Amino acid sequence: MRAMQIPSDHPLLLRIVDDLAERGWSQQNIFLPDALTRALAAECRQRAAEGELAPAAVGRGPFSEIREGIRGDRIQWIEPGQAQACDRYLGLMDSLREAINRGLFLGLEDFESHFALYPPGAFYLKHVDRFRDDDRRMVSAVLYLNDAWLPEHGGQLRMYLDDGVEHDVVPTGGCLVVFLSGDIPHEVLPAARDRLSLTGWFRRRGTEVF
């Protein structure tokens, strides 16, 4: 299966890097071709239909637990070689990793990602993406896979920015949001229909504190 990569100096990737440097986050409303977005959505729905998506936990390692009062999505991690659409997406993310490293010198070594399906009414309360005992996650990336999504469907990603500013992202298919994992609190608001995404993190080599 051939990965989909673009040069790390592609204007779209450089725009994301500039946004991260200037304000700590970037929103690209048209990041993926429609065909690839649809293929990823179909892959997510197929895995859900086959029972492969499991309730997401809160916390890490032996301290993780299912707490639907905090988050209600169902997830499955993706790995290279599982599906052509996933491999193409991982290739693009590797190009973005290289661009961020060239522009911001973050020393990002890898990228981890999972499908996330929020059923109607599910949410994820306000949080940050970096664990207190593990500083490897540096940059978060969320790609939305929802066809014909309207603002009244809900499910916005709400980011809490500096000076009390709140920024809502409507999870329309093909939109990519990238932000510094430890710096921007955010939450997922309840939706009126299934809400699909690929959520991932660019990671550096870190120092774990136990």
Side-chain angles (χ1 to χ4, degrees), residues 125-139:
L125 295 182
K126 184 178 178 181
H127 64 285
V128 293
D129 281 351
R130 183 182 292 172
F131 297 113
R132 282 179 288 183
D133 62 346
D134 185 349
D135 65 356
R136 286 177 294 179
R137 288 180 175 178
M138 293 294 293
V139 179

Side-chain angles (χ1 to χ4, degrees), residues 76-97:
Q76 187 187 45
W77 296 92
I78 63 174
E79 301 291 345
Q82 292 178 333
Q84 185 176 13
C86 294
D87 283 353
R88 295 179 69 194
Y89 177 66
L90 291 174
L92 283 174
M93 290 297 98
D94 198 56
S95 298
L96 178 55
R97 181 187 63 81

Side-chain angles (χ1 to χ4, degrees), residues 50-175:
E50 294 174 354
E52 296 181 4
L53 273 62
V58 176
R60 192 175 75 93
F63 303 105
S64 65
E65 58 181 327
I66 306 300
R67 298 183 63 183
E68 293 186 357
I70 295 178
R71 65 182 298 186
D73 54 327
R74 304 181 68 85
I75 69 170
Q76 187 187 45
W77 296 92
I78 63 174
E79 301 291 345
Q82 292 178 333
Q84 185 176 13
C86 294
D87 283 353
R88 295 179 69 194
Y89 177 66
L90 291 174
L92 283 174
M93 290 297 98
D94 198 56
S95 298
L96 178 55
R97 181 187 63 81
E98 292 177 358
I100 294 173
N101 278 342
R102 288 180 59 180
L104 302 180
F105 308 103
L106 294 184
L108 305 177
E109 291 195 339
D110 61 19
F111 178 71
E112 60 178 4
S113 183
H114 62 63
F115 282 115
L117 189 156
Y118 287 79
F123 55 87
Y124 195 162
L125 295 182
K126 184 178 178 181
H127 64 285
V128 293
D129 281 351
R130 183 182 292 172
F131 297 113
R132 282 179 288 183
D133 62 346
D134 185 349
D135 65 356
R136 286 177 294 179
R137 288 180 175 178
M138 293 294 293
V139 179
S140 303
V142 186
L143 175 76
Y144 296 108
L145 306 174
N146 306 295
D147 181 50
W149 194 275
L150 300 175
E152 53 263 36
H153 292 147
Q156 291 88 348
L157 173 72
R158 175 165 293 170
M159 297 192 293
Y160 295 87
L161 307 175
D162 293 337
D163 301 321
V165 174
E166 297 178 2
H167 176 72
D168 285 357
V169 179
V170 178
T172 53
C175 174

Side-chain angles (χ1 to χ4, degrees), residues 169-190:
V169 179
V170 178
T172 53
C175 174
L176 178 73
V177 181
V178 181
F179 54 90
L180 299 179
S181 300
D183 293 355
I184 298 184
H186 55 283
E187 66 176 314
V188 176
L189 303 182

Side-chain angles (χ1 to χ4, degrees), residues 16-76:
I16 294 172
V17 173
D18 288 344
D19 286 345
L20 288 174
E22 179 181 347
R23 60 188 185 183
W25 65 278
S26 180
Q27 177 180 341
Q28 303 301 320
N29 291 327
I30 303 176
F31 182 76
L32 283 194
D34 286 344
L36 181 52
T37 301
R38 290 194 300 269
L40 289 166
E43 180 69 21
C44 182
R45 291 191 180 279
Q46 179 180 342
R47 295 183 185 206
E50 294 174 354
E52 296 181 4
L53 273 62
V58 176
R60 192 175 75 93
F63 303 105
S64 65
E65 58 181 327
I66 306 300
R67 298 183 63 183
E68 293 186 357
I70 295 178
R71 65 182 298 186
D73 54 327
R74 304 181 68 85
I75 69 170
Q76 187 187 45

